């Protein structure tokens, strides 16, 4: 058993608490990782808020991390101690019907236990002050050591800077993949990206790499426009600057609508705007943002009857074990940006400050 520091969420709506936790050794087909760097994501904040129906407490959150394998359980063959890895919240077992189907990346092998905050055998590897602590998204990267299933791990180039590539565990991969895998953005096309946070910037990067000629960024926070343009946005607009709905503004700006739109916020009203901003006959709108539990999307069926397509994406459609090492390689060879997404680097004890910076849009 390893004793180390972790940020524990004891209950919903309260700040994280840095505690000494015990991390049990990995069982069969499990891997224990020394986490070197982790990022914070709105999904962590969503669960912490208490709005997540799958949220269990007390829990160690975090799902964008990178580290070094410390030890492996029985039967683990793909990684060994000392390997550099990124934990994966969507695993890839290679055996289930989802993994065998090229149309999806949603491996279901450990979905049920993962959703309950437990390892595949139905137990936890974390304890603190004599209490069992739940896992989160199969990763729990807000701990100096964590245990994950061996199918929830991507072995990557050991030369990669872990404080950067940890972002490929969720946000950057999700946004970039939404553009290149889910939407399949074509050269010369016009795109609209709603929400210019980390995921939105990654969508813009993907649209640019795919050859889009016009990329319109939409956000209420104008402080985000300069960064969006650095990533490839050709122009940025705020819905607050117009009297009419933003979809009508976009339809007028683009001679009938955009070819591709992306919702990167998790707001069902914005999802409707994104769909209705698409061009009749061929427009495709991709939902990337995660809406709160119980919410529903709405539009007039005529929007779809007249040739628009509404799609969704999880982790950008990447088959995780296969794709994450390639994304790291693409970053190392400067094909995709990663460093530019990092705004602040804080010590682990300041993790609550990181959440405040995220909520303030900084």
């Amino acid at each position: 058993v390893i004793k180390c520091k972790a940020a524990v969420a004891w209950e919903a709506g309260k700040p994280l608490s840095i505690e000494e936790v015990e991390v049990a050794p990995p069982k069969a087909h499990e891997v224990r990782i020394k986490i070197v760097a982790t990022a914070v994501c709105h999904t962590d904040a969503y669960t912490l808020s208490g709005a997540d129906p799958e949220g269990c407490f007390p829990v160690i959150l975090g799902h964008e991390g990178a580290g070094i394998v410390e030890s492996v359980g029985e039967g683990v063959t793909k990684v060994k101690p000392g390997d550099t890895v990124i934990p994966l919240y969507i695993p890839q077992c290679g055996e289930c019907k989802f993994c065998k189907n090229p149309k999806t990346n949603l491996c279901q092998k450990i979905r049920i236990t993962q959703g309950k905050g437990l390892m595949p055998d139905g137990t936890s590897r974390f304890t603190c002050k004599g209490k069992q602590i739940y896992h989160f998204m199969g990763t729990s990267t807000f701990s100096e050591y964590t245990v994950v299933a061996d199918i929830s791990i991507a072995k990557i180039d050991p030369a990669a800077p872990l404080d950067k590539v940890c972002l490929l565990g969720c946000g950057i991969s999700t946004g970039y993949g939404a553009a290149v895998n889910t939407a399949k953005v074509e050269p010369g096309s016009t795109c609209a990206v709603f929400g210019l946070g980390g995921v939105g910037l990654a969508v813009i990067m993907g649209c640019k790499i795919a050859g889009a000629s016009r990329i319109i960024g939409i956000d209420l926070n104008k402080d985000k426009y300069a960064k969006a343009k650095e990533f490839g946005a050709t122009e940025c607009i705020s819905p607050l600057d117009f009297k009419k709905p933003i979809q009508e503004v976009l339809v007028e700006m683009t001679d009938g609508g955009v070819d591709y739109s992306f919702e990167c916020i998790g707001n069902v009203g914005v999802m409707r705007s994104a769909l209705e901003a698409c061009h009749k006959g061929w427009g495709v709108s991709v939902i990337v943002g995660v809406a709160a539990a119980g919410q529903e999307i709405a539009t007039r069926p005529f929007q779809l009857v007249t040739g628009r397509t509404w799609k969704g994406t999880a982790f950008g459609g990447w088959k995780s074990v296969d794709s994450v090492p390639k994304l790291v390689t693409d970053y190392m060879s400067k094909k995709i940006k990663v460093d530019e997404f990092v705004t602040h680097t804080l010590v682990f004890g300041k993790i609550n400050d990181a959440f405040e910076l995220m909520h303030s849009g900084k």
Side-chain angles (χ1 to χ4, degrees):
V1 174
I2 288 178
K3 289 186 175 179
C4 67
K5 282 193 296 194
V8 177
W10 288 106
E11 55 184 302
K14 294 279 167 71
L16 301 178
S17 174
I18 302 289
E19 306 279 3
E20 183 179 79
V21 299
E22 294 85 42
V23 185
K27 294 189 185 178
H29 293 288
E30 295 177 4
V31 177
R32 187 160 60 183
I33 306 167
K34 180 185 198 307
I35 296 288
V36 174
T38 185
V40 296
C41 171
H42 279 283
T43 309
D44 303 305
Y46 168 62
T47 299
L48 185 58
S49 74
D52 181 355
E54 274 196 348
C56 319
F57 295 90
V59 64
I60 296 173
L61 299 169
H63 63 284
E64 291 185 321
I68 310 290
V69 174
E70 177 271 333
S71 59
V72 301
E74 193 188 327
V76 174
T77 54
K78 289 185 177 167
V79 293
K80 62 186 187 300
D83 284 347
T84 306
V85 293
I86 290 177
L88 306 167
Y89 71 89
I90 294 182
Q92 186 186 351
C93 72
E95 295 161 0
C96 70
K97 68 178 178 182
F98 288 79
C99 281
K100 286 181 170 166
N101 190 323
K103 294 178 182 173
T104 184
N105 62 331
L106 297 175
C107 173
Q108 296 296 295
K109 179 86 178 269
I110 58 173
R111 178 74 198 91
I112 291 169
T113 48
Q114 182 173 316
K116 291 178 178 164
L118 299 167
M119 293 301 289
D121 72 344
T123 63
S124 167
R125 301 293 161 268
F126 296 121
T127 48
C128 181
K129 298 179 179 170
K131 289 188 180 143
Q132 173 186 285
I133 307 290
Y134 286 107
H135 293 252
F136 178 67
M137 291 175 76
T139 53
S140 290
T141 59
F142 293 172
S143 174
E144 292 178 326
Y145 286 86
T146 189
V147 179
V148 305
D150 63 354
I151 59 171
S152 303
I153 195 165
K155 183 178 166 182
I156 62 159
D157 181 347
L162 300 188
D163 60 331
K164 305 292 193 294
V165 295
C166 61
L167 289 167
L168 293 169
C170 177
I172 297 178
S173 306
T174 297
Y176 177 51
V180 299
N181 296 332
T182 310
K184 298 186 165 59
V185 171
E186 295 167 320
S189 55
T190 298
C191 302
V193 181
F194 292 76
L196 302 176
V199 174
L201 294 176
V203 171
I204 290 172
M205 175 173 78
C207 293
K208 186 180 178 183
I209 289 171
S213 58
R214 193 172 177 193
I215 304 168
I216 305 164
I218 300 114
D219 202 297
L220 302 175
N221 182 349
K222 295 187 177 180
D223 296 342
K224 297 190 170 186
Y225 293 179
K227 194 82 166 170
K229 287 177 180 167
E230 250 175 71
F231 276 85
T234 50
E235 62 220 279
C236 294
I237 57 174
S238 166
L240 300 176
D241 290 344
F242 302 94
K243 293 225 164 53
K244 57 178 76 167
I246 193 69
Q247 54 265 50
E248 290 178 24
V249 174
L250 286 159
V251 166
E252 282 176 15
M253 282 173 67
T254 57
D255 184 28
V258 299
D259 302 310
Y260 302 96
S261 70
F262 301 85
E263 199 279 355
C264 307
I265 302 159
N267 178 311
V268 292
V270 178
M271 291 172 189
R272 178 173 191 160
S273 298
L275 176 80
E276 294 178 0
C278 282
H279 202 288
K280 184 190 284 189
W282 63 76
V284 174
S285 187
V286 181
I287 294 173
V288 193
V290 178
Q295 296 197 325
E296 297 184 349
I297 47 173
T299 190
R300 292 192 177 139
F302 195 66
Q303 291 284 334
L304 301 176
V305 170
T306 51
R308 292 168 196 83
T309 304
W310 220 342
K311 301 178 96 166
T313 189
F315 196 55
W318 300 107
K319 297 256 190 195
S320 59
V321 173
D322 294 342
S323 304
V324 168
K326 292 178 186 158
L327 290 167
V328 170
T329 303
D330 284 349
Y331 156 65
M332 299 292 278
S333 58
K334 298 199 164 41
K335 282 186 193 154
I336 60 172
K337 293 183 199 280
V338 174
D339 296 10
E340 293 82 352
F341 286 87
V342 180
T343 54
H344 299 74
T345 304
L346 305 172
V347 296
F348 188 31
K350 299 258 187 189
I351 191 161
N352 289 307
D353 298 357
F355 277 92
E356 283 171 30
L357 286 162
M358 180 176 69
H359 285 308
S360 67
K362 293 179 179 160

